Amino acid sequence: DTMDQTRITTPCETVVITGGENSTAPEGVFNASIPVGKNDAVEFLVDSFESFLTERNGDPFLSMIWFHNNHIPYIALNKTRQDCADGKTCPKGDYSSAQLDYYGAEVELDEQIGRIRKLLKTQGYADNTMIWFTSDNGPEGNCDNGICDAAHYLTWPGSAKGLRGRKRDTWEGGHRVAGIIEWPEMIKKNRVVPNTPVNTVDFLPTVMDILNVERPEDQKDWAMDGTSIMPLIRGEEFPDRGMGWWWHGRVGLGWRYGKWKLVNDSKSCLKEACEPALYDLDADLQETTDLSLKYPVIFEQMKANLTEWVQSLYHSTKVESKCPTAPN
């Protein structure tokens, strides 16, 4: 078995949490800090959240819960695999072993999300608690140039709904994921807001907006990549804005503004597909047609905006977000 150590840095404090993979654990992963004899990919996290919420005793709180499911290795419990195979939780069909694990793990995740919502109700938080539900990026298992054949899904389940690319790709299938926000006090009826991108960098400015707080004086000039989406939540007009993507090691950069999308390299690209390309997402959500030659002015402007954004990231790394003294 292997074990890794993740260093989690709070504003000026570092905590070491151990974790790794263990084939004897219920789902192939384990928490080495607090050994548990249950589904530690999802259930353990909600148990911890329940303890945290109870201790709040009605006070306001902020909680970010990052489930393991359905990240690799996704290994479902035997019961949930069998329930899927028997057609109890999945449409009846002939599933591969990888699919049974993937869909079973998804069912287990769904059950724990239900537990969280029930806990909020029983402890009196549900009506005025804002819940964001989303995923980090697209499904695992890349395909050449971001285009997969049917056989691929037997080994690597998870759908990008026909979009090009998968996890780590700059194409839409690599990072466009479902986003659901629930807040009964503010959102009175269900509605769908299509083609309006929201990013995890919007968490901070949105929470600051809700709480009506500003940055400390010594952080006033720091860059803020995100923006408050409160107008979107209230059903008001939400203007277009620039949004960037940057995969590790600068393999895969992207920039979007409105319907226009610049893709500069991608995890699964081959040869000419790795060259910068411009797409119109309103007309071509699958990103099949490069329009860089047809719209050269827009293409160059998008590249300039991407370059400016990347430079701002370097600036933040070197100048901003530093503790007064280094942690021990």
Side-chain angles (χ1 to χ4, degrees):
D1 298 330
T2 61
M3 178 182 293
D4 59 21
Q5 288 192 334
T6 303
R7 297 182 66 84
I8 299 180
T9 305
T10 56
C12 284
E13 176 184 4
T14 300
V15 180
V16 176
I17 294 181
T18 58
E21 299 178 21
N22 182 346
S23 60
T24 64
E27 290 208 354
V29 296
F30 71 99
N31 182 302
S33 299
I34 309 175
V36 292
K38 60 175 64 178
N39 180 342
D40 54 0
V42 283
E43 188 177 359
F44 169 74
L45 296 179
V46 181
D47 287 350
S48 300
F49 173 73
E50 181 175 8
S51 298
F52 164 77
L53 191 66
T54 301
E55 291 172 357
R56 299 306 297 158
N57 195 30
D59 289 341
F61 70 92
L62 172 66
S63 177
M64 301 186 74
I65 306 174
W66 304 98
F67 290 102
H68 177 269
N69 291 10
N70 273 5
H71 195 287
I72 55 172
Y74 38 79
I75 305 172
L77 301 173
N78 289 334
K79 181 182 183 305
T80 48
R81 280 174 55 95
Q82 192 60 51
D83 285 347
C84 179
D86 293 342
K88 294 179 180 179
T89 56
C90 304
K92 289 188 176 181
D94 184 16
Y95 295 101
S96 69
S97 180
Q99 288 173 328
L100 291 176
D101 272 324
Y102 185 87
Y103 298 134
E106 197 167 76
V107 168
E108 293 163 17
L109 171 63
D110 184 64
E111 291 172 347
Q112 298 307 314
I113 296 296
R115 277 187 65 200
I116 289 176
R117 298 181 72 224
K118 185 175 180 179
L119 285 168
L120 292 173
K121 290 178 182 178
T122 56
Q123 298 202 28
Y125 282 103
D127 287 343
N128 199 26
T129 294
M130 178 175 62
I131 301 176
W132 295 50
F133 177 80
T134 189
S135 177
D136 57 351
N137 43 29
E140 188 66 75
N142 294 97
C143 305
D144 289 350
N145 285 332
I147 301 172
C148 306
D149 58 29
H152 178 81
Y153 300 98
L154 296 175
T155 305
W156 295 106
S159 171
K161 286 293 183 180
L163 299 177
R164 185 178 182 181
R166 292 171 75 80
K167 185 171 183 174
R168 304 177 188 87
D169 276 318
T170 316
W171 295 299
E172 289 295 285
H175 55 80
R176 179 186 283 247
V177 294
I180 302 172
I181 298 178
E182 181 183 53
W183 188 5
E185 187 75 17
M186 180 63 65
I187 304 171
K188 301 298 183 182
K189 62 179 181 179
N190 295 344
R191 51 192 166 88
V192 177
V193 185
N195 300 322
T196 302
V198 172
N199 201 320
T200 51
V201 296
D202 298 327
F203 289 172
L204 175 61
T206 301
V207 171
M208 291 174 63
D209 188 9
I210 293 169
L211 299 179
N212 193 28
V213 297
E214 296 182 357
R215 282 179 160 179
E217 194 61 36
D218 61 350
Q219 298 179 15
K220 293 287 187 182
D221 295 331
W222 286 12
M224 177 78 83
D225 289 321
T227 187
S228 170
I229 68 163
M230 277 307 297
L232 197 63
I233 290 174
R234 290 192 293 259
E236 301 169 358
E237 184 177 351
F238 194 67
D240 290 336
R241 49 156 172 171
M243 182 179 293
W245 293 270
W246 183 4
W247 184 245
H248 297 306
R250 202 169 177 173
V251 178
L253 287 160
W255 182 259
R256 177 173 176 177
Y257 188 89
K259 69 177 185 177
W260 297 108
K261 167 89 173 289
L262 171 69
V263 173
N264 186 66
D265 206 348
S266 191
K267 171 67 176 179
S268 65
C269 69
L270 299 174
K271 297 181 179 180
E272 65 274 3
C274 299
E275 297 297 320
L278 179 70
Y279 300 102
D280 177 352
L281 296 184
D282 282 355
D284 180 26
L285 191 57
Q286 286 70 35
E287 297 168 290
T288 62
T289 306
D290 176 17
L291 300 176
S292 59
L293 295 179
K294 186 175 181 179
Y295 298 101
V297 174
I298 294 175
F299 182 53
E300 293 301 323
Q301 186 175 10
M302 294 286 283
K303 288 197 295 183
N305 289 339
L306 175 60
T307 298
E308 182 180 353
W309 176 69
V310 170
Q311 289 173 344
S312 77
L313 298 181
Y314 280 123
H315 178 80
S316 294
T317 301
K318 295 178 179 179
V319 178
E320 302 168 349
S321 305
K322 290 187 176 181
C323 292
T325 57
N328 295 329

